[in-house]
Amino acid sequence: MSRGSWRPAYVGLGSNLAGPRQQVERAFEALAGIPDTLLVARSGLWSTAPLGPQDQPRFVNAAAGLLTRLGPRELLAELKSAERRMGRQQPVVRWGPRIIDLDLLVYGDERIEEAGLTLPHPGLPERNFVLYPLSEFAAELWVPGLDRVGRLRGRVSAEGIEPLAAGKAGDD
């Protein structure tokens, strides 16, 4: 694997199975363990309504800011590897329940559209469960081809999302 210069990257985290709060915390630890990558920012946890079928538990979502020397495809491979190590299986239903979901949202100023990798993440501008956590530490981040995170957040509804208080019961 080639190692380039340090680049910023942003990741969305989500879980709604097997103790979602703990799964997201474990995912932050996994991100911190990726080679040639530093976890430099993390949001709080958010309780969110599911995007897909509504007959599933609420999600716990968060966002992470990384500095990495990995290329975007290498970083994505590390994210998918972390998901597998945490027990992720392909959902039976699209947008169905999952132990963990790690989405590469933004990688520097890259714009990529190819099989298996689209940057910025195509759902980012519509998803409050991504924009609210990400805006905690990256409101001024320019999302290539779109706008700043804070402005994108201002365009989505807050319906179905709320900050998750430390120790709040019912989301584990």
Side-chain angles (χ1 to χ4, degrees), residues 127-151:
R127 295 181 177 172
N128 64 3
F129 61 87
V130 171
L131 292 167
Y132 275 67
L134 189 57
S135 69
E136 283 184 33
F137 62 85
E140 293 302 311
L141 172 66
W142 178 257
V143 179
L146 296 172
D147 206 340
R148 297 202 183 282
V149 167
R151 287 193 200 127

Side-chain angles (χ1 to χ4, degrees), residues 4 6 8 30 32 38 42 46 50 58 60 63 72 77 83 111 113 118 124-125 129 131 140 142 151 153 155 162:
W6 292 98
L38 302 171
R42 58 171 282 174
W46 292 75
R58 288 179 64 84
V60 172
E83 287 179 340
R111 293 178 77 177
E113 281 191 48
T118 301
L124 189 151
F129 61 87
L131 292 167
E140 293 302 311
W142 178 257
R151 287 193 200 127
R153 175 185 163 160
R155 296 178 195 144
E162 62 184 347

Side-chain angles (χ1 to χ4, degrees), residues 1 13-14 19 29 42 44 51 56 99 127 158 170:
M1 284 193 260
L13 301 82
E29 291 172 14
R42 58 171 282 174
L51 175 65
Q56 61 179 312
I99 286 180
R127 295 181 177 172

Side-chain angles (χ1 to χ4, degrees), residues 95-130:
W95 295 324
R98 59 203 62 210
I99 286 180
I100 195 65
D101 190 26
L102 299 174
D103 287 331
L104 182 54
L105 304 171
V106 177
Y107 180 94
D109 58 1
E110 297 277 334
R111 293 178 77 177
I112 299 173
E113 281 191 48
E114 53 188 52
L117 179 60
T118 301
L119 290 172
H121 189 286
L124 189 151
E126 299 94 38
R127 295 181 177 172
N128 64 3
F129 61 87
V130 171

